[in-house]
Amino acid sequence: MKNLIAAVALALMSHAAMAEDAPKWSLAIHGGAGTLDPKAMTPEKRAAYEADLQAALDAGSKILADGGDAMDAIKAAIIIMEDSPLFNAGKGAVFTWDGTNELDASIMDGRDRSAGAVAGVKTVKNPILLADTVRTQSEHVMLMGAGAEAFALEKGFAVTPPEYFATPARREALERMKAKKLSALDVDHKFGTVGAVALDMKGNLAAGTSTGGMTGKRWGRVGDAPVIGAGTYADNRACAVSATGWGEYFLRVGVAHEICARLRAARAMNWLSFDNKGAPIAPEAEDIAQTVQDVADAVMYDVAELGGDGGVILVTPEGHAIFSFNTTGMYRGRATSAGVNEVAIFGGEEKASATPDH
C-alpha cells in the first residue's frame, strides 16, 4: 500500500510539472444549444451573436489574464450575456404561460464546492449575481421565488421592472405557441441558456449558468440550470461544467456532476500508468484531452438516449476547454493564456485547438 501511495504521489508530481507548460488560465462560454439552421442565419444575425459572445469572452479573459479569480471571470462573462436580448437569460428571457419572465441561475466555486442558486425570480437584473450572494451571504444553496426576491432586497439588489426583461421576439414566440398549440420545443429551436466555466492562474475552477427556462413553462417549472450537479458543477479535483439543453433530461442524468465524477474516476484509474520498471508515467496532454472529450461525449450520448438534447462546456485543471453537444449548433467561445481565442455557432467551426501544448 505504501508503494502504491508513493507511486501516486510521484505521478501527481510529474503531472504537476507537466502542467507548468499548460495554459495558466482557461475560459469557455456558451449561449445555448439547439436545432440551429445555417440557412436561417443571416450575416447580420450571426455578426450580432458573435459580437456578444466575443464581448463575454473578452470580459472574462481580461480578469483571468490580470491574475483574477475564476469566480469573478465567469460572473463577468455571464453578466454580458444576461444583459443581451439575444440570449434566454436576464433581458431577453422567454415568457412563461402566464406572460411573465422567471429567471434561474446557479454558480459554484471549485475550491471548496460552495454553491448558490436561485429559481423563479422576476425582479433581479442579473440572477447570476444573486446566486453568488446566496452562496456567500446565506447558509443555503438554493432560494426560490418570492423568498429569493426578499433575500435580494435585504442584500441591496435593486428591483428591476418586468418590462426590462420583455422583448418582442420572446412575446411573439409565446403568442405563436398558444395560437397554434405548439410545444415549447416547436418555438424554442435553441436553448438560449448562458454559462461560463474557468480556470484561473491559482489553479481554481468555477462554473455558472443562467436561464429564463422554456417558453410557456407552467406551474413553477424549473429546469437543470439552477440545480447544482445538473446544470452547473465545479470541483478543483476534476472539472468545471455548465450545461444547456432540455432541462428535464439533464436533471435525470445529473449531467454536470456526472461528467466531473467520471473524470475524477478517470484520473484515479486510467491516468496513472507505469513503465516496465514500475516508475509512474505522466500522461500526455493529448491523451488527457481525448479522455475529457470522450467523457463529455459519453454523458451527452446518455442524454440523447433518453430523448434529450443540448450541450456542455467544461474546463479542466490542466486548462483544456472542451465543448460537447448533440444538436446542430451551440453558441460558444473559448480563450486560454496559450493564445486560443474563438467563438463559434455550428458544429466543427473551431479554428484552433484548446489543447495545451507541452
Side-chain angles (χ1 to χ4, degrees):
M1 178 61 73
K2 289 183 179 179
N3 290 337
L4 178 59
I5 293 173
V8 172
L10 284 170
L12 290 175
M13 290 172 63
S14 299
H15 181 67
M18 179 189 71
E20 290 179 1
D21 296 327
K24 294 179 173 60
W25 59 262
S26 188
L27 173 69
I29 63 171
H30 71 74
T35 306
L36 307 176
D37 183 0
K39 297 178 181 178
M41 181 66 67
T42 66
E44 294 77 15
K45 189 175 182 180
R46 182 178 186 117
Y49 275 106
E50 289 179 341
D52 283 357
L53 288 170
Q54 190 64 58
L57 201 61
D58 290 345
S61 296
K62 184 178 188 309
I63 291 171
L64 295 171
D66 289 343
D69 288 343
M71 290 291 287
D72 291 334
I74 64 167
K75 285 185 286 185
I78 289 172
I79 286 170
I80 295 290
M81 293 184 284
E82 285 181 333
D83 290 348
S84 168
L86 296 178
F87 304 105
N88 176 20
K91 186 178 183 66
V94 300
F95 283 92
T96 68
W97 185 264
D98 295 325
T100 61
N101 306 108
E102 294 182 359
L103 313 172
D104 309 327
S106 61
I107 194 167
M108 190 167 185
D109 189 332
R111 286 173 289 197
D112 57 3
R113 284 174 283 169
S114 59
V118 293
V121 297
K122 301 177 182 179
T123 63
V124 178
K125 179 182 178 183
N126 294 113
I128 195 66
L129 295 182
L130 181 57
D132 196 44
T133 304
V134 173
R135 181 185 71 88
T136 59
Q137 298 184 40
S138 83
E139 64 271 35
H140 306 299
V141 170
M142 179 182 284
L143 301 179
M144 61 176 289
E149 292 177 343
F151 175 79
L153 283 174
E154 184 178 311
K155 298 303 178 182
F157 282 77
V159 175
T160 302
E163 55 267 24
Y164 167 80
F165 303 103
T167 59
R170 299 299 192 188
R171 192 177 297 279
E172 186 276 332
L174 176 64
E175 292 171 351
R176 180 159 42 92
M177 177 185 186
K178 289 184 173 182
K180 297 184 178 181
K181 297 182 179 180
L182 303 173
S183 71
L185 296 179
D186 290 325
V187 295
D188 290 336
H189 297 296
K190 73 178 185 67
F191 304 98
T193 297
V194 306
V197 292
L199 166 73
D200 62 32
M201 291 188 185
K202 305 176 193 71
N204 295 317
L205 296 168
T209 312
S210 182
T211 189
M214 299 184 80
T215 298
K217 61 183 180 180
R218 300 186 186 187
W219 311 297
R221 179 265 185 190
V222 176
D224 65 301
V227 178
I228 301 301
T232 301
Y233 202 77
D235 183 344
N236 277 8
R237 301 170 298 174
C239 65
V241 180
S242 175
T244 172
W246 196 343
E248 280 68 16
Y249 294 93
F250 282 68
L251 283 164
R252 289 162 60 186
V253 174
V255 166
H257 180 268
E258 181 73 8
I259 290 172
C260 286
R262 292 191 189 190
L263 287 176
R264 282 185 62 197
R267 284 177 188 277
M269 300 298 292
N270 300 326
W271 292 6
L272 183 60
S273 58
F274 302 88
D275 63 19
N276 57 9
K277 295 181 180 179
I281 302 172
E284 295 292 332
E286 292 78 7
D287 294 337
I288 295 176
Q290 189 58 56
T291 297
V292 174
Q293 187 71 62
D294 290 345
V295 166
D297 290 347
V299 174
M300 287 308 304
Y301 180 79
D302 195 9
V303 171
E305 283 287 282
L306 293 178
D309 58 2
V312 295
I313 55 173
L314 63 147
V315 165
T316 71
E318 298 79 25
H320 301 286
I322 300 293
F323 306 119
S324 181
F325 52 97
N326 58 19
T327 53
T328 56
M330 179 167 72
Y331 295 99
R332 61 200 187 277
R334 58 186 173 187
T336 76
S337 57
V340 174
N341 189 309
E342 60 186 1
V343 296
I345 297 176
F346 300 102
E349 289 186 339
E350 280 77 20
K351 301 179 181 65
S353 171
T355 299
D357 292 326
H358 296 290

